[in-house]
Amino acid sequence: MNYYSKKLLVATGLNDNIPPIKGIDNFYGKSIFHCPYCDGWEVKKKLIGVYAKNKNGFERAVELKTWSKHVTLYTDRRHYLKPQEIDVLKKKNIRVVSEKITSVEGATGKVSNIVFANNKKERCDALFFVNGHEQRRHIARSLCCPMNKKGIVITNRLQQANIHGLYVAGDVSKDVQFVVVVAAEGAKAGESINKEIQKEDFKVR
Ligand SMILES: Cc1cc2nc3c(=O)[nH]c(=O)nc-3n(C[C@H](O)[C@H](O)[C@H](O)COP(=O)(O)OP(=O)(O)OC[C@H]3O[C@@H](n4cnc5c(N)ncnc54)[C@H](O)[C@@H]3O)c2cc1C
């Protein structure tokens, strides 16, 4: 089916890659998170875990020391830590646990334990995972929109892409993923779209 429009604003967001740990869906957004700047304050001074199997969790573990003394990095059998990073983690009293994890358990959205393959458990009040995200950029891709190396649509400061009439705003765009940024980008795009349409309507032919 074809749709026609003078302008198109793509604001399709992104999908966080939630690690495939048994039980995680019961806690995501309540006591398991991906963003320390969104959810760190609510779990300050608690037992915080960082889960990083497919990515290097060094930065996230260090960031979370802002909110709690008790941070443990769980690498689930793999790790991508450099020797200098391991030294910093030690100096900052961040434990690194590399045992295989099978599940997380708790009740009513509140995670309480990390469960290992050897049936041991460790207490945990909040878990932050580092597992990347996928942009929902199918529309921009189907329009062959120019993208940067990370596959994110290139825009100017008014959210205009390099295709006339196309705008991109929110998580699908290149900036940080915070509601205030998303709203600001939407506002800039909205104003720009309206101005462009007015100009085009009054253009002397
Ligand atoms: C657990 C969690 C906690 C967070 N906490 C905070 C916080 O405390 N503070 C903060 O600032 N930010 C927080 N964020 C981030 C914030 O939610 C996002 O930055 C924001 O919601 C992104 O808005 P968006 O409109 O760009 O995308 P979205 O909110 O993802 O909206 C995109 C919409 O487009 C729809 N869509 C996708 N593809 C299509 C299509 N092809 N056709 C039609 N519709 C489509 C989707 O269904 C969705 O409804 C959090 C995110 C999560 C997941």
Side-chain angles (χ1 to χ4, degrees):
M1 197 182 291
N2 292 327
Y3 294 94
Y4 297 92
S5 167
K6 283 185 180 174
K7 307 288 169 205
L8 176 65
L9 171 59
V10 177
T12 45
L14 55 76
N15 285 332
D16 294 299
N17 297 328
I18 302 173
I21 305 171
K22 194 173 156 206
I24 199 165
D25 289 347
N26 299 328
F27 308 106
Y28 182 48
K30 297 174 191 135
S31 54
I32 296 187
F33 313 101
H34 65 282
C35 171
Y37 298 99
C38 297
D39 298 293
W41 171 258
E42 278 73 18
V43 296
K44 65 182 183 301
K45 298 187 181 161
K46 306 247 172 157
L47 290 178
I48 296 181
V50 172
Y51 179 89
K53 179 178 183 174
N54 299 320
K55 304 255 177 198
N56 174 316
F58 170 79
E59 222 175 275
R60 184 63 39 86
V62 171
E63 273 171 335
L64 279 156
K65 286 289 278 189
T66 310
W67 291 281
S68 178
K69 282 190 217 162
H70 316 288
V71 177
T72 303
L73 174 59
Y74 296 95
T75 66
D76 204 356
R77 277 204 304 184
R78 287 191 213 159
H79 82 72
Y80 301 94
L81 298 167
K82 297 180 191 132
Q84 309 92 290
E85 293 174 335
I86 294 174
D87 284 348
V88 174
L89 293 171
K90 268 190 203 144
K91 280 187 194 131
K92 290 192 168 284
N93 284 325
I94 298 172
R95 290 168 60 230
V96 179
V97 174
S98 54
E99 280 174 61
K100 182 175 165 53
I101 291 173
T102 51
S103 62
V104 282
E105 55 179 34
T108 55
K110 172 111 198 34
V111 70
S112 56
N113 289 309
I114 294 182
V115 184
F116 300 100
N118 59 11
N119 288 327
K120 281 192 194 155
K121 294 179 186 182
E122 255 189 40
R123 266 201 57 212
C124 174
D125 299 319
L127 188 68
F128 288 78
F129 59 80
V130 187
N131 205 32
H133 53 244
E134 306 282 327
Q135 300 281 349
R136 296 192 202 112
R137 57 187 160 235
H138 317 296
I139 299 172
R141 188 172 281 152
S142 69
L143 293 168
C144 299
C145 203
M147 295 185 184
N148 68 16
K149 271 189 261 168
K150 289 186 177 168
I152 297 170
V153 177
I154 297 164
T155 57
N156 68 11
R157 64 183 186 84
L158 295 174
Q159 307 306 129
Q160 282 175 308
N162 275 343
I163 291 182
H164 183 74
L166 183 68
Y167 295 74
V168 180
D171 278 3
V172 72
S173 180
K174 65 182 180 303
D175 213 331
V176 290
Q177 285 101 30
F178 291 127
V179 169
V180 287
V181 176
V182 169
E185 288 180 356
K188 285 194 290 178
E191 188 201 37
S192 183
I193 288 170
N194 193 42
K195 281 185 172 165
E196 279 293 307
I197 290 173
Q198 285 172 357
K199 263 195 238 160
E200 287 164 15
D201 279 354
F202 288 107
K203 205 150 102 184
V204 182
R205 284 168 220 277

